[in-house]
C-alpha cells in the first residue's frame, strides 16, 4: 500500500509544474501588455511635448513670487501653457521673474520681464542725474521734477542753497525730503529744514529734494498716482502706458509742514506699504472712497471739480515719454554689457511704475520710478484686534489683471499668437454652431409604442397582473389619440424648422465675421496705449541726441561687455574722431580723462569700489560730461544742445561710418530726420545745420569737390540721387546736366 501511494504521488507531482508554467506565461503576457501601454504613453507624451514646443505659448512662472496669482489667472484665461517649476528641456516663450535680470544666468532665449541694470538705472541718483543732464540741454522741457542734490557728494552745495533761502526769508519756510538711493516702500525717508539734520547711515548715498507743499488735495488728503508703463523694446524703442492705475492716499489730513508735524509720515508720505499700517487706513471697496482708489475715479473727481482732466492725463503721458527717452542711453549701455553683439541671449521687456504727484495748479510732478512695482492682488484686512487676513483687493484686481493680460498678448511670439487665435476661432465657431443648432433643433415626434409593464409580487395573482396590463394599454391609446390630433401642427412646425435650418447653414460666414469682430474688439479694448512711436514720435525726436553719444561710447569700449571706458579707449576716441585737429593734444585728453574719472569715483562711491573690470574706468555719464566739455571748448554755439550736436556730427563724419559695428550701434534716427538714406560709407551724410544753409550752386560745388578728393568724376545718377533725397531740392534736371558738362575734363572723355 505504501508503494502504491508513493507511485500515485509521483504521478500527481507534474500537475503543479504545469500550473506554474501557465502562471509564468500569463505574467509574460501581462508584462508585454504593460510594456506596450507604457510605450504608447511615452509616445503620446513625446507628441504632446512636440506640439507644445511648436504651437503652444509657454510661460515660466518659477520665480514670479508675489506675481504668481495674477499671472496664473491671466495664463488660464488666455489658454497659455504654464511651467510653475521651470522648463529644463527647452526655453519658454516668456520668463516672468520677480528677481533681477542678472539673477537668471540659465535663461538663454525667449523673453524676460526684466532689463539688465534696470534696478540701478531707476535708483534715485541715476534717474535724477539722467534728468538733470536733459534739463541742462532742454531747460524748459524738463521741469517736471523737483530740484535734487546728491548726498554726501553735494552736501556743500545743498547747505549753501538752504542758507540762501533763509537769507531771502522765503515763505513758507523751505522743507526738503531725503530719500535713500536704493530705498523702497518708504523706508528711510524723512523731512528736514536744516542741513545739520542730515545723517548718513553707514556712508550710504541719498538724494535731497525740494519738498512740494502746495499739492492738490481731495477730501483734505494728499495723494499720488501709480502709473504703469510697459517698455516693450529698446531697438526699436517702443513703450505703452496703462490707461488705468492706482491713486494712493495718505491717512491723515494734510497740513503744510511745520516743526510740529514734520515727522508725521502718515500725513506727508503716500506710500501704500507705509500707510496700510495706520489705524485710520480706509479699506473701502468703492472706487471713489478709501485710501486706495482707481486712477479713473480720481480723474472723474477732478473733472467734477471743474478742471480739465484730459489735459492732466496728456501732461502725464508727456512726462512718461521724456523720462524714458532720458534713461534709454543708460539702458543700452547696460544691455550691451549683459548681451554683447553677436552673443545669443533673451530679449527683454519690463513693466515700470511711475509715481506722479499733482500740484495745486494740477501740474504733474515725477517723484520716482519703481523698477519692480507690486503686482500682487492681496491686501491686509484686520479680522480681529491684532489679527490680519490676506484677501483679494477688488481695486488691485481691476487694475493689475488687464495690465498683465495685455502685456502677455504684446510680448508673446507673433507667429504662435496667430496660430493660437486660429485655434481659438475654431473652438468658438464650434460653440456658436452647437448653440445655434440646439436652438433651431425641433422636438422629435411621439412614436406610438405598445409596451406592457408587469409588476410581479409574491402575493399577486394572475388576474391582478392582467388588470395592470389593461390599464397600461388604455393609457397608451389615449396618448395615441392626442398625438394624432396634433399631427397637423407638427407638420407645420417641421416645415418652419427646415426653413430655419437652411437659414442657419447660410449664416456660417456671418459666424466667421462675428468671431473676427470678437478678436478685434478684444484688441481694441486693451488697457495699454502705445505712446512711442505711435503718438509722440516727432515730439520726442529731438530729445534722442544722447542715444548717439551712447552709440559712440559703446563703440570705443575696450573690453567686450564692459560698462566703463578705459584711458586707451578714450584716447582712441579722440584720435579716430580727429579731435586733435581741433587743438586737443594727447596730454590734454589724458588730463581730462583723469579729472573726470576722479570726479565720478567721488560721486558714486558705492559703485566704484572693488577690483572688477566693470568698476574700473569712466562710466557713460562721465563720458557724456567729457563730450559736453569738448563741445563747449571746440564747437561753440549759442546753446548747449547745438554744441553737442556739432560734436556728434563731427565724430560721425570723421569715422565715415565704415565700420559695421559702429553702424549697428549708432542710432539711425538722425539720418532719417535729415531725409537721407542711411548708407555705409556715404559721402552725403551732412549735418542738418549745413544742409539748411545750402543752395543749388553750393550743393553741387561741394559734391564736385568731394569727388575730386576721391579722384573720380561724379556721375549724373550720383548727383541726382543726392539732391533728390535732400530736403531743399530747388533745381531742375537740366541744370545737373549743365554742371556736369561744365566740369567735365578732357581726360574723362
Amino acid at each position: 500500500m505504501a508503494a502504491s501511494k508513493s507511485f500515485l504521488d509521483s504521478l500527481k507531482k507534474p500537475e503543479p509544474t504545469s500550473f506554474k508554467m501557465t502562471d509564468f506565461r500569463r505574467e509574460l503576457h501581462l508584462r508585454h501588455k504593460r510594456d506596450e501601454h507604457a510605450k504608447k504613453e511615452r509616445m503620446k507624451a513625446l507628441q504632446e511635448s512636440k506640439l507644445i514646443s511648436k504651437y503652444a505659448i509657454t510661460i515660466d512662472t518659477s520665480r514670479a513670487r508675489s506675481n504668481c496669482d495674477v499671472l496664473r489667472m491671466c495664463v488660464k484665461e488666455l489658454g497659455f501653457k504654464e511651467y510653475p517649476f521651470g522648463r529644463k528641456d527647452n526655453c519658454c516663450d516668456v520668463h516672468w521673474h520677480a528677481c533681477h535680470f542678472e539673477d537668471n544666468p540659465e535663461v538663454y532665449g525667449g523673453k524676460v520681464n526684466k532689463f539688465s541694470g534696470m534696478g540701478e538705472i531707476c535708483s534715485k541718483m541715476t534717474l535724477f542725474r539722467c534728468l538733470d543732464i536733459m534739463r541742462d540741454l532742454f531747460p524748459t522741457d524738463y521741469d517736471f521734477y523737483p530740484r535734487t542734490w546728491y548726498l554726501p557728494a553735494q552736501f556743500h552745495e545743498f547747505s549753501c542753497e538752504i542758507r540762501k533761502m533763509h537769507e531771502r526769508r522765503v515763505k513758507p519756510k523751505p522743507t526738503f525730503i531725503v530719500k535713500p538711493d536704493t530705498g523702497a516702500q518708504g523706508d528711510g525717508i524723512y523731512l528736514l529744514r536744516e542741513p545739520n539734520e542730515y545723517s548718513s547711515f553707514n556712508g550710504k548715498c541719498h538724494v535731497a529734494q525740494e519738498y512740494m507743499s502746495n499739492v492738490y488735495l481731495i477730501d483734505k488728503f494728499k495723494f499720488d498716482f501709480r502709473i504703469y508703463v510697459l517698455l516693450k523694446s529698446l531697438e526699436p524703442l517702443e513703450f505703452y502706458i496703462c490707461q488705468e492705475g492706482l491713486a494712493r492716499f495718505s491717512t491723515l489730513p494734510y497740513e503744510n509742514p511745520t516743526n510740529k508735524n514734520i515727522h508725521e509720515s502718515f500725513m506727508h508720505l503716500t506710500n501704500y506699504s507705509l500707510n496700510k499700517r495706520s489705524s485710520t487706513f480706509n479699506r473701502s471697496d468703492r472706487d471713489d472712497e478709501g485710501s486706495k482708489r482707481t486712477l479713473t475715479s480720481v480723474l472723474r473727481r477732478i473733472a467734477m471739480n471743474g478742471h480739465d482732466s484730459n489735459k492732466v492725463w496728456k501732461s502725464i503721458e508727456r512726462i512718461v515719454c521724456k523720462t524714458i527717452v532720458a534713461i534709454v542711453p543708460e539702458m543700452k549701455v547696460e544691455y550691451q554689457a549683459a548681451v554683447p553683439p553677436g552673443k545669443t541671449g533673451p530679449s527683454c521687456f519690463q513693466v515700470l511704475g511711475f509715481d506722479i504727484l499733482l500740484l495745486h495748479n494740477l501740474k504733474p510732478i515725477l517723484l520716482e520710478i519703481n523698477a519692480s512695482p507690486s503686482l500682487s492682488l492681496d491686501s491686509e484686512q484686520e479680522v480681529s484686534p491684532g489679527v490680519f487676513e490676506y484677501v483679494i483687493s477688488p481695486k488691485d484686481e481691476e487694475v493689475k489683471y488687464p495690465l498683465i493680460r495685455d502685456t502677455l498678448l504684446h510680448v508673446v511670439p507673433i507667429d504662435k499668437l496667430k496660430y493660437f487665435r486660429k485655434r481659438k476661432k475654431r473652438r468658438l465657431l464650434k460653440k456658436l454652431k452647437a448653440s445655434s443648432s440646439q436652438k433651431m433643433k425641433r422636438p422629435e415626434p411621439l412614436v406610438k409604442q405598445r409596451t406592457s409593464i408587469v409588476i410581479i409580487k409574491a402575493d399577486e395573482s394572475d388576474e391582478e397582473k392582467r388588470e395592470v396590463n389593461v390599464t397600461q394599454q388604455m393609457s397608451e391609446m389615449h396618448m395615441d389619440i392626442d398625438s394624432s390630433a396634433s399631427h397637423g401642427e407638427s407638420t407645420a412646425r417641421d416645415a418652419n424648422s427646415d426653413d430655419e435650418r437652411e437659414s442657419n447653414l447660410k449664416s456660417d460666414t456671418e459666424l466667421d465675421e462675428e468671431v473676427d469682430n470678437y478678436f478685434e474688439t478684444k484688441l481694441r479694448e486693451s488697457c495699454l496705449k502705445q505712446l512711442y512711436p505711435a503718438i509722440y514720435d516727432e515730439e520726442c525726436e529731438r530729445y534722442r541726441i544722447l542715444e548717439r553719444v551712447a552709440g559712440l561710447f559703446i563703440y570705443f569700449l575696450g573690453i567686450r561687455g564692459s560698462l566703463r571706458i578705459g584711458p586707451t579707449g578714450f584716447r582712441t576716441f579722440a584720435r579716430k574722431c580727429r579731435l586733435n585737429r581741433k587743438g586737443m593734444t594727447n596730454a590734454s585728453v589724458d588730463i581730462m580723462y583723469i579729472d573726470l574719472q576722479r570726479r565720478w569715483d567721488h560721486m558714486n562711491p558705492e559703485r566704484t569700489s572693488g577690483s572688477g573690470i566693470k568698476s574700473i574706468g569712466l562710466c557713460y555719464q562721465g563720458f557724456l560730461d567729457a563730450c559736453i566739455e569738448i563741445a563747449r571748448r571746440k564747437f561753440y554755439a549759442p546753446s548747449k544742445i547745438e554744441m553737442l550736436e556739432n560734436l556728434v556730427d563731427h565724430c560721425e563724419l570723421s569715422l565715415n561710418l565704415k565700420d559695421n559695428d559702429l553702424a549697428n550701434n549708432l542710432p539711425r534716427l538722425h539720418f532719417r530726420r535729415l531725409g537721407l538714406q542711411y548708407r555705409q560709407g556715404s559721402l552725403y551724410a551732412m549735418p542738418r545745420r549745413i544742409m539748411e544753409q545750402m543752395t543749388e550752386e553750393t550743393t553741387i560745388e561741394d559734391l564736385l569737390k568731394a569727388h575730386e578728393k576721391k579722384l573720380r568724376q561724379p556721375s549724373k545718377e550720383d548727383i541726382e540721387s543726392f539732391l533728390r533725397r535732400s530736403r531743399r531740392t530747388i533745381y531742375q534736371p537740366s541744370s545737373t546736366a549743365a554742371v556736369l558738362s561744365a566740369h567735365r575734363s578732357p581726360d574723362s572723355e
Side-chain angles (χ1 to χ4, degrees):
M1 292 293 293
S4 63
K5 286 183 179 179
S6 62
F7 178 74
L8 292 175
D9 293 338
S10 64
L11 293 176
K12 294 180 180 178
K13 281 182 180 179
E15 291 183 352
T17 57
S18 62
F19 285 119
K20 288 183 179 180
M21 290 296 293
T22 55
D23 292 341
F24 179 71
R25 290 173 182 172
R26 188 181 297 109
E27 288 181 2
L28 286 178
H29 180 70
L30 293 176
R31 186 183 301 175
H32 181 67
K33 289 290 185 181
R34 285 196 296 267
D35 292 342
E36 287 185 351
H37 180 71
K39 186 177 180 180
K40 289 181 180 179
E41 291 294 330
R42 286 196 299 269
M43 294 297 295
K44 185 178 179 180
L46 182 61
Q47 291 177 0
E48 289 180 356
S49 64
K50 289 182 178 179
L51 289 174
I52 288 175
S53 62
K54 186 176 181 180
Y55 299 112
I57 299 174
T58 56
I59 312 293
D60 180 11
T61 61
S62 58
R63 298 186 180 181
R65 296 178 186 171
S66 61
N67 304 344
C68 265
D69 294 336
V70 62
L71 192 61
R72 284 173 179 170
M73 291 170 61
C74 297
V75 169
K76 185 177 180 181
E77 182 195 355
L78 296 174
F80 297 163
K81 177 67 175 178
E82 179 192 1
Y83 283 87
F85 303 104
R87 190 179 182 186
K88 297 181 179 180
D89 57 340
N90 198 0
C91 191
C92 291
D93 297 321
V94 178
H95 299 266
W96 196 287
H97 294 167
C99 52
H100 296 290
F101 179 87
E102 293 77 13
D103 298 334
N104 301 314
E106 69 276 3
V107 177
Y108 54 88
K111 292 190 176 182
V112 184
N113 68 320
K114 299 291 181 182
F115 276 97
S116 174
M118 181 60 81
E120 182 176 334
I121 293 172
C122 291
S123 64
K124 276 76 170 178
M125 296 187 69
T126 306
L127 171 64
F128 289 108
R129 276 176 180 160
C130 294
L131 294 176
D132 282 344
I133 293 172
M134 297 299 290
R135 176 182 280 181
D136 195 25
L137 299 175
F138 307 96
T140 59
D141 297 333
Y142 280 80
D143 59 344
F144 52 82
Y145 67 97
R147 288 191 302 169
T148 307
W149 293 267
Y150 311 102
L151 306 179
Q154 293 183 345
F155 182 76
H156 179 69
E157 293 87 344
F158 178 61
S159 303
C160 292
E161 184 64 26
I162 294 179
R163 186 174 64 253
K164 290 179 182 178
M165 289 183 176
H166 289 338
E167 292 175 356
R168 293 196 302 266
R169 296 182 179 180
V170 178
K171 293 184 179 180
K173 191 175 181 180
T175 307
F176 301 89
I177 183 170
V178 179
K179 305 176 184 178
D181 179 28
T182 57
Q185 298 181 354
D187 293 337
I189 300 178
Y190 61 95
L191 275 65
L192 58 81
R193 288 189 164 184
E194 298 295 336
N196 56 8
E197 298 177 4
Y198 168 70
S199 57
S200 177
F201 301 100
N202 300 326
K204 291 185 178 181
C205 298
H206 296 77
V207 294
Q209 293 181 325
E210 186 178 0
Y211 181 77
M212 299 296 179
S213 58
N214 56 338
V215 295
Y216 186 82
L217 303 178
I218 291 182
D219 299 332
K220 298 182 180 181
F221 290 97
K222 180 182 177 181
F223 69 94
D224 69 346
F225 290 138
R226 168 58 62 89
I227 309 295
Y228 296 98
V229 177
L230 169 62
L231 182 56
K232 185 178 178 180
S233 63
L234 284 182
E235 193 64 43
L237 183 61
E238 184 178 353
F239 54 87
Y240 300 76
I241 188 171
C242 184
Q243 301 183 76
E244 184 61 283
L246 294 173
R248 307 173 301 176
F249 284 73
S250 60
T251 51
L252 289 180
Y254 179 77
E255 297 177 0
N256 287 329
T258 60
N259 293 330
K260 294 182 179 180
N261 63 15
I262 196 173
H263 300 293
E264 292 287 349
S265 57
F266 294 147
M267 177 189 297
H268 299 290
L269 302 182
T270 57
N271 303 74
Y272 167 74
S273 57
L274 181 67
N275 281 276
K276 70 180 181 180
R277 307 170 189 169
S278 175
S279 59
T280 58
F281 187 84
N282 188 357
R283 293 180 172 84
S284 176
D285 292 337
R286 295 184 57 181
D287 290 342
D288 55 349
E289 290 183 0
S291 299
K292 180 190 286 188
R293 310 181 190 180
T294 58
L295 170 69
T296 53
S297 65
V298 175
L299 291 178
R300 283 196 303 266
R301 181 70 176 273
I302 293 174
M304 290 172 59
N305 293 338
H307 303 289
D308 190 358
S309 59
N310 292 329
K311 184 178 179 181
V312 175
W313 181 247
K314 291 294 182 183
S315 301
I316 293 175
E317 289 181 351
R318 288 186 172 87
I319 287 177
V320 169
C321 293
K322 294 176 183 178
T323 305
I324 290 183
V325 168
I327 65 175
V328 160
E330 285 273 2
M331 294 178 62
K332 289 189 174 181
V333 173
E334 292 281 349
Y335 188 76
Q336 65 83 29
V339 187
K343 179 182 176 182
T344 58
S347 57
C348 302
F349 68 96
Q350 192 157 354
V351 177
L352 304 174
F354 283 67
D355 293 343
I356 304 291
L357 179 72
L358 291 184
L359 298 183
H360 184 68
N361 57 357
L362 292 178
K363 178 183 178 181
I365 297 295
L366 177 67
L367 298 180
E368 61 178 313
I369 300 179
N370 197 324
S372 299
S374 175
L375 298 175
S376 62
L377 305 179
D378 297 337
S379 62
E380 293 181 0
Q381 184 177 0
E382 190 173 5
V383 294
S384 61
V387 179
F388 292 90
E389 181 183 6
Y390 286 93
V391 296
I392 294 180
S393 173
K395 296 175 183 177
D396 288 330
E397 185 177 3
E398 181 182 356
V399 175
K400 298 173 183 178
Y401 178 76
L403 168 67
I404 304 303
R405 180 196 62 199
D406 296 338
T407 298
L408 291 176
L409 289 175
H410 276 86
V411 301
V412 295
I414 299 177
D415 52 347
K416 287 190 176 183
L417 188 61
K418 289 181 179 178
Y419 174 81
F420 175 77
R421 287 185 61 183
K422 289 180 181 179
R423 190 175 59 183
K424 282 287 223 183
K425 183 176 178 180
R426 294 194 206 102
R427 292 179 180 177
L428 188 57
L429 280 172
K430 288 181 180 179
K431 289 182 180 179
L432 291 174
K433 289 180 180 179
S435 61
S436 60
S437 62
Q438 288 179 1
K439 291 179 181 179
M440 305 305 296
K441 187 177 180 181
R442 62 182 179 85
E444 296 181 357
L446 295 173
V447 181
K448 184 172 63 176
Q449 296 178 355
R450 293 187 175 273
T451 58
S452 61
I453 300 176
V454 180
I455 302 175
I456 303 175
K457 294 183 180 180
D459 56 348
E460 196 175 50
S461 60
D462 293 338
E463 294 180 356
E464 291 175 349
K465 294 179 186 178
R466 240 182 258 112
E467 289 178 359
V468 173
N469 292 334
V470 170
T471 53
Q472 180 68 22
Q473 292 175 6
M474 292 295 292
S475 62
E476 289 178 354
M477 288 176 63
H478 289 294
M479 292 176 62
D480 295 340
I481 294 171
D482 294 336
S483 62
S484 61
S486 60
H487 179 69
E489 297 179 359
S490 63
T491 53
R493 284 197 302 269
D494 293 341
N496 295 332
S497 61
D498 293 338
D499 297 337
E500 291 176 355
R501 192 177 290 106
E502 290 179 359
S503 63
N504 185 31
L505 292 175
K506 294 179 181 178
S507 63
D508 286 343
T509 56
E510 297 178 359
L511 290 176
D512 293 340
E513 294 178 359
E514 184 178 351
V515 173
D516 293 335
N517 294 332
Y518 168 78
F519 282 107
E520 289 178 2
T521 52
K522 281 294 184 183
L523 292 176
R524 283 197 302 268
E525 292 174 358
S526 174
C527 67
L528 297 177
K529 174 184 176 182
Q530 189 182 77
L531 296 183
Y532 192 93
I535 302 176
Y536 296 98
D537 185 9
E538 297 180 358
E539 185 175 341
C540 296
E541 185 175 338
R542 61 194 187 100
Y543 302 136
R544 301 188 66 183
I545 178 65
L546 297 187
E547 294 184 42
R548 299 166 61 193
V549 180
L552 293 172
F553 176 79
I554 294 172
Y555 177 71
F556 287 106
L557 285 174
I559 301 175
R560 182 181 180 183
S562 176
L563 292 173
R564 298 176 181 272
I565 187 171
T568 304
F570 191 76
R571 194 181 297 116
T572 305
F573 157 71
R575 176 173 54 84
K576 286 193 173 183
C577 293
R578 301 178 183 179
L579 298 179
N580 53 356
R581 298 186 181 182
K582 292 290 182 178
M584 293 192 64
T585 61
N586 292 334
S588 62
V589 170
D590 294 339
I591 292 172
M592 179 182 294
Y593 176 83
I594 294 173
D595 291 342
L596 289 173
Q597 184 182 12
R598 289 177 178 175
R599 184 192 308 174
W600 282 96
D601 288 350
H602 176 68
M603 292 290 290
N604 293 331
E606 296 179 353
R607 296 167 190 165
T608 55
S609 61
S611 58
I613 294 176
K614 294 185 179 181
S615 62
I616 299 176
L618 190 63
C619 61
Y620 163 71
Q621 290 182 347
F623 179 80
L624 180 59
D625 279 356
C627 292
I628 293 175
E629 181 64 20
I630 294 172
R632 186 187 64 81
R633 293 181 186 179
K634 306 301 178 183
F635 299 88
Y636 181 77
S639 63
K640 289 185 178 181
I641 184 62
E642 291 182 8
M643 290 188 288
L644 186 60
E645 284 181 348
N646 294 342
L647 171 64
V648 175
D649 291 338
H650 173 78
C651 293
E652 292 174 356
L653 293 175
S654 299
L655 294 170
N656 287 328
L657 305 181
K658 290 182 179 180
D659 200 315
N660 291 330
D661 295 335
L662 181 62
N664 294 329
N665 290 329
L666 289 178
R668 306 187 181 186
L669 176 68
H670 174 63
F671 300 99
R672 187 172 69 249
R673 184 180 69 229
L674 301 183
L676 298 174
Q677 184 179 1
Y678 184 86
R679 294 191 301 157
Q680 183 178 348
S682 174
L683 296 171
Y684 315 129
M686 297 184 180
R688 182 177 183 179
R689 66 186 186 282
I690 297 177
M691 293 186 60
E692 291 177 350
Q693 299 173 358
M694 282 185 174
T695 60
E696 175 187 353
E697 291 78 15
T698 57
T699 302
I700 299 176
E701 184 178 355
D702 293 339
L703 183 64
L704 292 171
K705 289 181 180 179
H707 280 286
E708 288 175 1
K709 291 181 181 180
K710 295 294 182 180
L711 300 177
R712 66 182 181 89
Q713 189 69 17
S715 63
K716 179 179 178 181
E717 290 77 14
D718 289 338
I719 298 178
E720 288 181 352
S721 62
F722 167 67
L723 296 176
R724 185 171 59 253
R725 289 166 185 156
S726 62
R727 289 187 173 180
R728 302 177 65 95
T729 306
I730 54 174
Y731 66 97
Q732 300 295 332
S734 59
S735 62
T736 306
V739 172
L740 283 174
S741 61
H743 289 79
R744 188 172 296 162
S745 60
D747 296 335
S748 63
E749 296 179 357

